[in-house]
Amino acid sequence: MESIFHERQEGSLCAQHCLNNLLQGEYFSPVELSSIAQQLDEEERMRMAEGGVSSEEYRTFLQQPSVNMDDSGFFSIQVISNALKVWGLELILFNSPEYQRLGIDPINEKSFICNYKEHWFTVRKLGKQWFNLNSLLMGPELISDTYLALFLAQLQQEGYSIFVVKGDLPDCEADQLLQMIRVQQMQRPKLIGEEAAQARDQRLPRSDVDQAIEVNHPFDGTGMLDEDEENFQRALALSRQEIDMEDEEADLRRAIQLSMQGSRRSEPSGSSPQNVPQSSHCSQTDSLSSEELRRRRQAYFEKQQQLQQQDQTPKLQDKATLSSSTPEPDAGGDMSEEDMLQAAMNMSLESVRNHLNSEDEK
């Protein structure tokens, strides 16, 4: 389809593109169409002046802008019709009741000019095939004979005004070539804006595309607020657990210190050179990390349990007395912090009593 002349859209010069695509060549320029529009404006002014240049209608007409062209490049149907008269061509409104009553099959026509909201484009037969030569397309669009009537009906339903071009169109290379061959089009040509948008999206990195989507669809922040609230509650719970653990460590540390102090006070002064002074022991305990304290505490409790097992046989009576006054923890249930603290103190007191009993026996 390289032989088919097809002007693409530039600015608002769709009337120029429509005429040149119809005639298959650069027959009209904006300057020539502007000249036709100015000529039409002058003819209308002269007709209005016949009623008197001092009339209210004439003064109002002079104040109004031209209806045949504007600064954007738009040209009226009168400009297009006068431009085609140069080639002996005439426009007839296709969707008028008068033409519809003729019952002419669109396939027997040669070309159509379509207009909707100041946009003009041509549908023309070249050789034995029909083509949509809309300047908004990247290239000519092939229209089958069976689809032509449906295509025109669809345009009518969308509000297009359709004009039949009557007369002999000038000869062109595309018409002569397509009389001998038929074109096959595998893919419909894209719109100019559609092609540019796809090319831009391909150049954009994914992050930029995501950012554009976020700008077009602002995030209300509701989900983020919920997630922040959940994270805050989780952090608050963890901090509470840490505070509870610190309180537990402090309580157990104080219980161990008290038990160690009780052991030293019950021993004769100087009888045990391995004793550590109280102040030194306290400062060492305070400087221990939580992990080290847990490890030493576990080792201390295991040592105390071993001592209890060794003294269990000769001290059954004392054991019975202690067991009656000391509550045993439930092996099948979870111990509370208070129970753990009480158990630690009881074990410490029990070790002190065992130690005192051992000293008495000696």
Side-chain angles (χ1 to χ4, degrees):
M1 297 198 297
E2 296 179 358
S3 60
I4 299 177
F5 182 85
H6 181 259
E7 277 187 357
R8 296 180 184 177
Q9 185 77 13
E10 292 183 5
S12 299
L13 298 174
C14 54
Q16 171 196 330
H17 305 320
C18 174
L19 288 169
N20 289 341
N21 290 340
L22 172 68
L23 302 173
Q24 285 293 287
E26 297 179 356
Y27 288 90
F28 292 100
S29 67
V31 175
E32 293 169 335
L33 294 179
S34 297
S35 177
I36 297 174
Q38 291 173 359
Q39 182 180 354
L40 290 172
D41 289 344
E42 182 63 19
E43 292 176 358
E44 292 178 5
R45 187 192 68 78
M46 293 177 63
R47 286 196 298 269
M48 293 297 297
E50 293 177 357
V53 293
S54 59
S55 64
E56 184 68 24
E57 290 80 4
Y58 182 74
R59 288 197 297 269
T60 303
F61 171 78
L62 293 179
Q63 294 175 357
Q64 292 176 349
S66 172
V67 296
N68 293 302
M69 68 175 182
D70 59 22
D71 295 337
S72 68
F74 167 77
F75 296 98
S76 66
I77 181 63
Q78 289 82 6
V79 174
I80 294 177
S81 179
N82 279 26
L84 291 177
K85 286 180 180 179
V86 178
W87 299 92
L89 301 171
E90 182 185 2
L91 294 179
I92 300 177
L93 189 61
F94 171 74
N95 44 0
S96 65
E98 293 78 11
Y99 185 83
Q100 293 294 329
R101 278 197 294 266
L102 297 176
I104 301 176
D105 191 344
I107 200 173
N108 295 324
E109 302 291 356
K110 295 180 180 179
S111 57
F112 300 93
I113 288 179
C114 308
N115 170 258
Y116 181 65
K117 291 185 177 180
E118 301 185 352
H119 178 67
W120 301 93
F121 71 92
T122 292
V123 178
R124 174 173 172 170
K125 191 175 188 177
L126 293 170
K128 299 178 181 179
Q129 294 174 286
W130 284 90
F131 295 91
N132 177 11
L133 303 178
N134 194 333
S135 58
L136 294 177
L137 294 174
M138 293 296 295
E141 179 185 14
L142 179 63
I143 300 177
S144 65
D145 293 347
T146 56
Y147 182 66
L148 177 64
L150 181 60
F151 178 73
L152 296 176
Q154 181 181 357
L155 292 179
Q156 286 182 276
Q157 187 176 6
E158 293 176 357
Y160 276 82
S161 297
I162 303 175
F163 300 89
V164 183
V165 181
K166 289 292 186 179
D168 295 331
L169 295 167
D171 293 335
C172 63
E173 179 184 356
D175 185 56
Q176 296 173 359
L177 180 61
L178 294 178
Q179 291 288 346
M180 299 178 291
I181 62 174
R182 294 184 65 87
V183 172
Q184 291 184 353
Q185 191 173 47
M186 304 302 296
Q187 187 176 3
R188 174 190 176 278
K190 295 181 175 64
L191 293 171
I192 295 177
E194 182 182 3
E195 187 80 12
Q198 289 184 353
R200 183 173 60 253
D201 291 342
Q202 291 176 357
R203 291 193 302 268
L204 282 175
R206 181 58 186 170
S207 57
D208 293 341
V209 175
D210 295 338
Q211 184 177 3
I213 293 175
E214 291 176 1
V215 171
N216 292 330
H217 302 280
F219 178 62
D220 58 4
T222 304
M224 184 61 70
L225 288 176
D226 294 339
E227 184 177 356
D228 288 344
E229 180 66 20
E230 182 180 356
N231 292 335
F232 173 75
Q233 294 295 338
R234 185 182 297 110
L236 186 60
L238 289 175
S239 65
R240 288 171 179 169
Q241 292 178 6
E242 291 176 358
I243 293 174
D244 294 340
M245 290 177 62
E246 291 175 358
D247 293 341
E248 177 187 354
E249 297 292 343
D251 292 339
L252 291 173
R253 187 183 301 115
R254 283 193 295 271
I256 295 174
Q257 291 174 5
L258 289 173
S259 64
M260 297 296 293
Q261 292 174 15
S263 299
R264 282 192 296 273
R265 283 195 298 268
S266 61
E267 294 177 357
S269 59
S271 61
S272 177
Q274 297 178 354
N275 287 342
V276 181
Q278 178 180 350
S279 58
S280 174
H281 178 77
C282 292
S283 61
Q284 181 181 1
T285 306
D286 292 337
S287 63
L288 292 177
S289 64
S290 298
E291 184 63 28
E292 181 67 17
L293 181 60
R294 292 192 189 96
R295 187 179 62 81
R296 295 191 179 187
R297 185 182 63 202
Q298 183 66 27
Y300 175 78
F301 287 159
E302 290 178 355
K303 182 178 180 180
Q304 295 302 324
Q305 290 177 359
Q306 292 176 1
L307 292 175
Q308 292 174 17
Q309 291 176 0
Q310 292 175 3
D311 297 340
Q312 185 174 7
T313 302
K315 304 298 180 182
L316 289 176
Q317 184 176 357
D318 294 339
K319 180 66 176 180
T321 305
L322 288 173
S323 62
S324 61
S325 60
T326 304
E328 294 291 337
D330 185 6
D334 295 333
M335 296 179 63
S336 64
E337 296 175 4
E338 185 176 356
D339 294 337
M340 293 176 63
L341 178 60
Q342 186 64 39
M345 296 178 65
N346 291 335
M347 293 178 65
S348 300
L349 293 173
E350 184 178 356
S351 64
V352 171
R353 290 191 181 97
N354 292 335
H355 182 75
L356 291 175
N357 292 331
S358 298
E359 292 294 330
D360 292 340
E361 290 177 356
K362 292 179 180 180

